[in-house]
Amino acid sequence: YPTEPPECLVDFPIPFAVSWMPQNSLMDIYNQFLAALESLKEFWDALDEIDGKTWVLEPENPTRSATTRRIAIGNNVSVNIEVDPHHPNMLPECYFLGADHAVNPLRTKLNNNMHLWDPEISLLQNLRELLEIDFPSPAVLEKSDFAKDCGICYAYRLEGSAPDQVCDDPRCGQPFHQACLYEWLQGLPTSRQSFNVIFGECPYCNK
């Protein structure tokens, strides 16, 4: 100091690059920090609304740098979204988790309604309108109403992760952690593996 800038640790979803000259002061860095905070306000507002009005399955306690949310839609059905911090009001990357019979109609609605995305309304409202659904609300439902434990380890969280694989049989729909399911299927003589995908029977319904 003052030839090199101080090291700054911030909880941002984007890198915080300090502009520094030997004549700068700590107040200059603080002002740069405030400007960066202001530039991320829309991003945080969008995710704060999702955190407050939906059931977020993952991350369990999101930090301010987290750009993804796995949002519950229904019984063992959820959508994982990746929000661009620079363009929080644009359509995020969406990945649906659940049985095929439950998520395929949602994928179809998203593809068919993509042109209706309106950057003038909130991210959550856009998702509601494109998917033509109401997300479960923490004000009305408990997490246990739609989030079941893994059918193998009988726990909901395994090393911080919620179950993300679901039996495709509509009469079963039992969820599993990917790691539990992989370990289970590896031990079955009827399972087969193609490249890095393993195929086998559901531990619950044998389908």
Side-chain angles (χ1 to χ4, degrees):
Y1 183 89
T3 54
E4 293 183 12
E7 185 178 342
C8 300
L9 301 177
V10 297
D11 191 20
F12 280 2
I14 56 174
F16 177 55
V18 174
S19 176
W20 180 260
M21 299 288 283
Q23 62 268 30
N24 284 142
S25 67
L26 292 179
M27 183 56 73
D28 294 317
I29 289 185
Y30 179 63
N31 289 332
Q32 290 176 49
F33 172 75
L34 291 181
L37 273 181
E38 187 61 31
S39 73
L40 290 165
K41 185 178 184 303
E42 284 189 3
F43 167 77
W44 283 322
D45 285 348
L47 290 183
D48 285 347
E49 183 183 20
I50 287 170
D51 292 340
K53 295 183 179 178
T54 71
W55 270 114
V56 173
L57 304 178
E58 294 177 291
E60 192 171 16
N61 297 300
T63 62
R64 299 311 265 170
S65 59
T67 58
T68 61
R69 293 293 190 275
R70 181 178 166 197
I71 309 169
I73 293 176
N75 203 7
N76 302 319
V77 182
S78 58
V79 61
N80 200 73
I81 64 168
E82 173 88 36
V83 183
D84 183 346
H86 298 289
H87 306 286
N89 292 327
M90 302 307 291
L91 177 64
E93 286 186 42
C94 297
Y95 176 69
F96 294 98
L97 297 110
D100 285 346
H101 70 272
V103 301
N104 284 343
L106 293 168
R107 286 195 192 103
T108 301
K109 284 178 183 174
L110 181 65
N111 290 331
N112 290 346
N113 295 337
M114 213 176 278
H115 65 282
L116 299 175
W117 188 272
D118 181 359
E120 297 302 315
I121 63 175
S122 75
L123 174 63
L124 179 58
Q125 188 58 35
N126 268 306
L127 289 172
R128 284 187 186 126
E129 295 190 9
L130 263 64
L131 299 176
E132 299 172 12
I133 58 169
D134 276 326
F135 291 97
S137 166
V140 179
L141 296 172
E142 297 293 327
K143 188 179 283 191
S144 58
D145 291 334
F146 50 80
K148 289 185 182 176
D149 294 342
C150 170
I152 295 173
C153 72
Y154 299 109
Y156 183 68
R157 296 225 168 259
L158 177 69
E159 296 177 357
S161 295
D164 57 358
Q165 304 295 313
V166 179
C167 176
D168 279 334
D169 191 313
R171 292 167 298 181
C172 177
Q174 177 64 42
F176 306 96
H177 295 114
Q178 188 171 8
C180 295
L181 198 57
Y182 184 76
E183 193 174 324
W184 173 276
L185 292 173
Q186 273 192 318
L188 292 181
T190 54
S191 299
R192 60 186 176 84
Q193 188 160 351
S194 175
F195 297 102
N196 61 345
V197 180
I198 192 165
F199 300 87
E201 296 174 350
C202 171
Y204 249 64
C205 68
N206 300 322
K207 296 289 187 184

